[in-house]
Amino acid sequence: MGQVHILHADMDAFFSAVEQRENPDLQAKPVIVGGVNLSNRGVVSTASYEARKYGVHSAMPIAKAKKLCPNGIYLPARHKLYQAASAKIFSILKKYTPLVEKLSIDEAFLDVKGCEKLYGSAVEIAHKIKEEVKLKTNLTISIGVSVNKFLAKLASDYDKPNGLTVIKKEDIKKFMRNLNIDNIWGVGEVFAEKLAEADIYKASDLWSYSLEELKSNYGKAGVKLFFLARGKDKREVKKQNQIKSISHEETFIDNLKNQDKIFAYLFKMSEKVSFRLHSNSLKGITVFIKVRYADFSTYSRQKSLKVALNSSQQIYQIAKKLLLKNNLLTKSIRLLGIGVSNLCQEGQEQLNLFAQTDDQLDKTIDQLKRKYGFDKISRARKLYLDQDD
Ligand code: TTP
Ligand code: MG
């Protein structure tokens, strides 16, 4: 006991719940929030749990939602309202521990180790947060409590809405045994299909494989799987200002020479970096790249901009220029890295009016990815990789 100290807190049907709170006539009704102008070509932002019974969910085209749930109440998104609710919720979370890692507008990790003297055990803190959020915002939040981030997130999802699920150390095996493989971080549709070829459908199907086997079959992703399938996750909860840079690198099994293929990887990696920046509401001034050749010689280059950015398109374009301008693509590449540093909180950077559309598109892609995993959604350029891999 006493070992659980990580919380994952996630508001229930957030945008719809705020709308239901604002208008009591909407309580217990199927409420669907869509894009600002709610056109039939738009997509669902979220649906109340009443609407989910009809099969409506985030990212579904509004036209399809209307077919499934013709009596639903369709509302345009009112972001200012959701931002205000979010700010209140985060100020509550930050009261209980300074270690709050914001993942999105309605979701955060908390590490409450060392806060027990003030507020009680992790489970008591979770109860207190739920009560306080309800009292101060009239909204419900689901919380998962466990020994690490991965399990805490699974736990918060386990009994939604208004859930509180604890996964203690001694419960991990039982909890993981029947977990479907696509609930594991990093397992999107494409990876799940690949695993299905080896009859791996559940986390426990991975238990009989050694670390070396998974590594040789699936590379770095296999290593992650080995640990996550056992409920092991060493990532720490990080405060926003502890994050100095966000980067991603990949080592290639066969050294890469083909420029188009390198750019396709670069694009995929820019999307990952952009996704993580958005998730933490961060932007950065400096884009950097790293290249390692077959002989292990390594080069880094960077470019700083006047205006902070977090869009995948911009990150990609700058990184590509860095590679070309510095003649870094003349030899085969063993490792490619890309990142953004000199970070600041979104909203605190100088306004860049021209970046808005691109940012919005990235945000939508990010939200979809969070929900459905990385492999399913990407812009067209990634297709090149999928065909060739
Ligand atoms: P989520 O926390 O993923 O969803 P939710 O809070 O509506 O429902 P629950 O957590 O109970 O499953 O996302 C938070 C908000 O972000 C959501 O209310 C609306 C917005 N969002 C989108 O606009 N588009 C999306 O595709 C997703 C997933 C979320
Ligand atoms: Mg939520």
Side-chain angles (χ1 to χ4, degrees), residues 98-101 111 236-246 280 282 343 345:
L99 264 181
V100 176
E101 181 176 332
D111 187 338
E236 288 178 0
V237 176
K238 287 197 173 133
K239 268 198 293 192
Q240 230 72 353
N241 59 10
Q242 282 179 287
I243 306 174
K244 296 279 177 252
S245 70
I246 286 188
N280 289 286
L282 291 170
L343 303 177
Q345 206 65 43

Tab-separated table of all heavy atoms in Angstrom, residues 98-101 111 236-246 280 282 343 345:
chain	number	residue	atom	x	y	z
A	98	PRO	N	2.409	20.363	-6.911
A	98	PRO	CA	2.993	21.224	-7.945
A	98	PRO	C	3.287	20.448	-9.230
A	98	PRO	O	3.473	21.030	-10.284
A	98	PRO	CB	4.303	21.701	-7.308
A	98	PRO	CG	4.599	20.731	-6.227
A	98	PRO	CD	3.312	20.102	-5.785
A	99	LEU	N	3.286	19.117	-9.116
A	99	LEU	CA	3.639	18.295	-10.281
A	99	LEU	C	2.408	17.944	-11.111
A	99	LEU	O	1.840	16.852	-10.985
A	99	LEU	CB	4.321	17.021	-9.809
A	99	LEU	CG	5.846	17.036	-9.797
A	99	LEU	CD1	6.396	15.699	-9.317
A	99	LEU	CD2	6.395	17.358	-11.183
A	100	VAL	N	1.988	18.884	-11.934
A	100	VAL	CA	0.840	18.660	-12.806
A	100	VAL	C	1.316	18.770	-14.251
A	100	VAL	O	1.881	19.784	-14.640
A	100	VAL	CB	-0.271	19.709	-12.559
A	100	VAL	CG1	-1.418	19.534	-13.546
A	100	VAL	CG2	-0.779	19.612	-11.127
A	101	GLU	N	1.120	17.716	-15.016
A	101	GLU	CA	1.507	17.740	-16.434
A	101	GLU	C	0.255	17.800	-17.286
A	101	GLU	O	-0.530	16.850	-17.335
A	101	GLU	CB	2.318	16.483	-16.775
A	101	GLU	CG	2.770	16.438	-18.223
A	101	GLU	CD	3.669	15.227	-18.521
A	101	GLU	OE1	4.357	14.745	-17.596
A	101	GLU	OE2	3.657	14.768	-19.667
A	111	ASP	N	1.536	13.909	-10.018
A	111	ASP	CA	2.330	13.062	-9.134
A	111	ASP	C	2.152	13.642	-7.734
A	111	ASP	O	2.517	14.788	-7.489
A	111	ASP	CB	3.800	13.089	-9.566
A	111	ASP	CG	4.640	12.089	-8.781
A	111	ASP	OD1	4.207	11.699	-7.675
A	111	ASP	OD2	5.720	11.715	-9.271
A	236	GLU	N	8.306	9.982	-16.097
A	236	GLU	CA	7.941	10.789	-14.932
A	236	GLU	C	6.944	11.865	-15.306
A	236	GLU	O	6.896	12.312	-16.446
A	236	GLU	CB	9.198	11.446	-14.359
A	236	GLU	CG	10.078	10.436	-13.673
A	236	GLU	CD	11.348	11.051	-13.136
A	236	GLU	OE1	11.536	12.269	-13.300
A	236	GLU	OE2	12.149	10.290	-12.585
A	237	VAL	N	6.165	12.283	-14.323
A	237	VAL	CA	5.261	13.412	-14.537
A	237	VAL	C	6.115	14.673	-14.542
A	237	VAL	O	6.910	14.889	-13.628
A	237	VAL	CB	4.206	13.489	-13.409
A	237	VAL	CG1	3.328	14.718	-13.573
A	237	VAL	CG2	3.364	12.211	-13.397
A	238	LYS	N	5.948	15.468	-15.586
A	238	LYS	CA	6.805	16.652	-15.709
A	238	LYS	C	5.987	17.924	-15.669
A	238	LYS	O	4.969	18.028	-16.341
A	238	LYS	CB	7.559	16.604	-17.035
A	238	LYS	CG	8.653	15.572	-17.026
A	238	LYS	CD	9.621	15.838	-18.148
A	238	LYS	CE	10.798	14.910	-18.035
A	238	LYS	NZ	11.154	14.281	-19.279
A	239	LYS	N	6.471	18.868	-14.896
A	239	LYS	CA	5.852	20.192	-14.920
A	239	LYS	C	6.179	20.845	-16.242
A	239	LYS	O	7.219	20.557	-16.826
A	239	LYS	CB	6.437	21.058	-13.803
A	239	LYS	CG	5.662	20.982	-12.528
A	239	LYS	CD	5.990	22.137	-11.632
A	239	LYS	CE	7.420	22.077	-11.126
A	239	LYS	NZ	7.709	23.009	-10.051
A	240	GLN	N	5.289	21.741	-16.674
A	240	GLN	CA	5.494	22.386	-17.972
A	240	GLN	C	6.889	22.999	-18.117
A	240	GLN	O	7.562	22.810	-19.090
A	240	GLN	CB	4.452	23.494	-18.122
A	240	GLN	CG	3.724	23.431	-19.411
A	240	GLN	CD	2.759	22.255	-19.427
A	240	GLN	OE1	2.722	21.423	-18.526
A	240	GLN	NE2	1.976	22.179	-20.460
A	241	ASN	N	7.336	23.729	-17.068
A	241	ASN	CA	8.601	24.442	-17.226
A	241	ASN	C	9.827	23.542	-17.051
A	241	ASN	O	10.949	23.980	-17.163
A	241	ASN	CB	8.675	25.650	-16.283
A	241	ASN	CG	8.532	25.228	-14.844
A	241	ASN	OD1	8.560	24.039	-14.534
A	241	ASN	ND2	8.375	26.197	-13.956
A	242	GLN	N	9.584	22.249	-16.780
A	242	GLN	CA	10.719	21.321	-16.727
A	242	GLN	C	11.050	20.801	-18.114
A	242	GLN	O	12.077	20.203	-18.331
A	242	GLN	CB	10.380	20.121	-15.846
A	242	GLN	CG	10.470	20.408	-14.366
A	242	GLN	CD	10.087	19.172	-13.594
A	242	GLN	OE1	8.908	18.800	-13.539
A	242	GLN	NE2	11.056	18.504	-13.034
A	243	ILE	N	10.125	21.018	-19.039
A	243	ILE	CA	10.354	20.509	-20.380
A	243	ILE	C	11.187	21.540	-21.137
A	243	ILE	O	10.752	22.659	-21.362
A	243	ILE	CB	9.014	20.238	-21.093
A	243	ILE	CG1	8.135	19.316	-20.229
A	243	ILE	CG2	9.250	19.617	-22.463
A	243	ILE	CD1	6.740	19.095	-20.777
A	244	LYS	N	12.400	21.159	-21.472
A	244	LYS	CA	13.318	22.111	-22.129
A	244	LYS	C	13.225	22.008	-23.653
A	244	LYS	O	13.422	22.975	-24.356
A	244	LYS	CB	14.765	21.837	-21.688
A	244	LYS	CG	14.992	22.068	-20.200
A	244	LYS	CD	15.186	23.558	-19.902
A	244	LYS	CE	15.344	23.805	-18.423
A	244	LYS	NZ	14.179	24.456	-17.827
A	245	SER	N	12.967	20.809	-24.112
A	245	SER	CA	12.826	20.652	-25.562
A	245	SER	C	11.979	19.417	-25.822
A	245	SER	O	11.838	18.552	-24.957
A	245	SER	CB	14.191	20.498	-26.222
A	245	SER	OG	14.740	19.256	-25.886
A	246	ILE	N	11.424	19.361	-27.020
A	246	ILE	CA	10.661	18.171	-27.403
A	246	ILE	C	11.250	17.663	-28.707
A	246	ILE	O	11.395	18.426	-29.668
A	246	ILE	CB	9.166	18.506	-27.510
A	246	ILE	CG1	8.609	18.664	-26.083
A	246	ILE	CG2	8.417	17.427	-28.291
A	246	ILE	CD1	7.144	18.817	-25.955
A	280	ASN	N	1.119	19.656	-24.740
A	280	ASN	CA	1.585	20.373	-23.549
A	280	ASN	C	1.350	21.878	-23.648
A	280	ASN	O	1.883	22.635	-22.846
A	280	ASN	CB	3.080	20.110	-23.341
A	280	ASN	CG	3.324	18.688	-22.883
A	280	ASN	OD1	3.057	18.350	-21.746
A	280	ASN	ND2	3.787	17.844	-23.784
A	282	LEU	N	2.584	23.959	-25.741
A	282	LEU	CA	3.892	24.610	-25.864
A	282	LEU	C	4.182	25.005	-27.309
A	282	LEU	O	3.651	24.408	-28.248
A	282	LEU	CB	4.994	23.642	-25.395
A	282	LEU	CG	5.038	23.316	-23.908
A	282	LEU	CD1	6.009	22.168	-23.653
A	282	LEU	CD2	5.441	24.533	-23.082
A	343	LEU	N	11.426	26.699	-25.466
A	343	LEU	CA	9.964	26.555	-25.421
A	343	LEU	C	9.298	27.665	-24.602
A	343	LEU	O	9.893	28.223	-23.685
A	343	LEU	CB	9.606	25.197	-24.817
A	343	LEU	CG	10.203	23.984	-25.526
A	343	LEU	CD1	9.839	22.705	-24.790
A	343	LEU	CD2	9.730	23.913	-26.978
A	345	GLN	N	5.047	28.811	-23.206
A	345	GLN	CA	3.661	28.393	-23.116
A	345	GLN	C	2.858	28.999	-24.266
A	345	GLN	O	3.063	30.175	-24.594
A	345	GLN	CB	3.118	28.901	-21.769
A	345	GLN	CG	1.974	28.111	-21.217
A	345	GLN	CD	2.395	26.689	-20.862
A	345	GLN	OE1	3.439	26.472	-20.301
A	345	GLN	NE2	1.567	25.726	-21.226
